[in-house]
């Protein structure tokens, strides 16, 4: 998401999702935001689709638009990781689907989230409970996404503060994962949890 934001000149730019966008995603049982082939979607709505419901098609759509292919976008992701000093990270895809050469650590995820939260657009999306897209050619009423973390919480309150945002992730191999942000006594904290049953 942060690489996409930094490489998009216009967040309101319309991006068309092609049938290639969806290749292999259903068979891989990837999480989807609900967009369709042939749909013209604003870049900002694809960002919300990627971060709130973990929409794989939103990730692929952004990658294709920005770099021409998922493979070339992944190169940008790995360059960003290297620039940030994420020494134990290598990205192989934009969806987070399992691949033996796709890996990271809790420390590197904390580095990445800490960096990304300095970007106002990223912070706005990451801390949103829900988002409704603008009407599109395939969804005249738009689509409403809900943050997968907030859906599972009874409330955002924790002792002395509140949980501000989070991004869930899951594969059989990685288990349940969460990159989260909270504020306690006017201080922000990042918590990365991985491998939960």
């Amino acid at each position: 998401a942060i690489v996409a934001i930094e490489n998009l000149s216009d967040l309101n730019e319309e991006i068309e999702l092609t049938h290639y966008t969806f290749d292999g995603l259903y068979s891989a049982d990837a999480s989807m935001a609900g967009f369709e082939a042939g749909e013209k979607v604003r870049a900002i709505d694809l960002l919300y689709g990627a971060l709130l419901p973990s929409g794989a098609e939103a990730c692929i759509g952004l990658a294709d638009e920005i770099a021409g292919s998922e493979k070339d976008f992944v190169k940008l992701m790995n360059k960003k990781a290297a620039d940030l000093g994420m020494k134990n990270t290598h990205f192989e895809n934009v969806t987070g689907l399992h691949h033996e050469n796709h890996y990271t650590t809790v420390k590197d995820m904390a580095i990445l989230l800490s960096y990304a939260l300095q970007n106002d657009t990223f912070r706005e999306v990451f801390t949103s409970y829900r988002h409704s897209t603008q009407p599109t050619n395939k969804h005249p009423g738009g689509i409403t996404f809900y943050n997968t973390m907030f859906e599972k919480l009874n409330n955002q309150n924790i002792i002395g503060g509140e949980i501000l945002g989070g991004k869930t992730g899951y594969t059989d191999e990685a288990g349940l994962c969460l990159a989260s942000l909270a504020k306690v006594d006017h201080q922000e904290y990042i918590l990365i949890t991985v491998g939960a049953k």
Side-chain angles (χ1 to χ4, degrees), residues 62-77:
L62 286 164
D64 286 348
E65 179 66 21
I66 292 163
S69 71
E70 180 179 16
K71 189 176 167 206
D72 285 339
F73 190 85
V74 168
K75 288 177 185 168
L76 298 177
M77 291 167 61

Side-chain angles (χ1 to χ4, degrees), residues 34-134:
F35 296 116
E36 296 174 24
E39 192 158 3
K40 294 185 170 107
V41 186
R42 292 185 315 157
I44 188 69
D45 290 332
L46 287 175
L47 282 166
Y48 276 99
L51 282 175
L52 299 191
S54 301
E57 82 278 29
C59 300
I60 302 278
L62 286 164
D64 286 348
E65 179 66 21
I66 292 163
S69 71
E70 180 179 16
K71 189 176 167 206
D72 285 339
F73 190 85
V74 168
K75 288 177 185 168
L76 298 177
M77 291 167 61
N78 283 317
K79 182 179 183 320
K80 175 58 73 178
D83 291 348
L84 293 175
M86 296 166 61
K87 294 181 176 36
N88 297 297
T89 295
H90 179 77
F91 296 114
E92 198 64 39
N93 59 57
V94 299
T95 58
L97 290 170
H98 180 73
H99 188 289
E100 61 183 19
N101 292 324
H102 188 92
Y103 56 85
T104 191
T105 63
V106 290
K107 180 180 180 183
D108 282 1
M109 274 294 106
I111 290 169
L112 179 60
L113 183 53
S114 180
Y115 171 78
L117 285 166
Q118 294 170 46
N119 179 287
D120 291 341
T121 300
F122 179 90
R123 181 177 278 267
E124 176 69 30
V125 177
F126 187 78
T127 58
S128 294
Y129 184 84
R130 70 166 181 223
H131 173 74
S132 296
T133 72
Q134 288 203 333

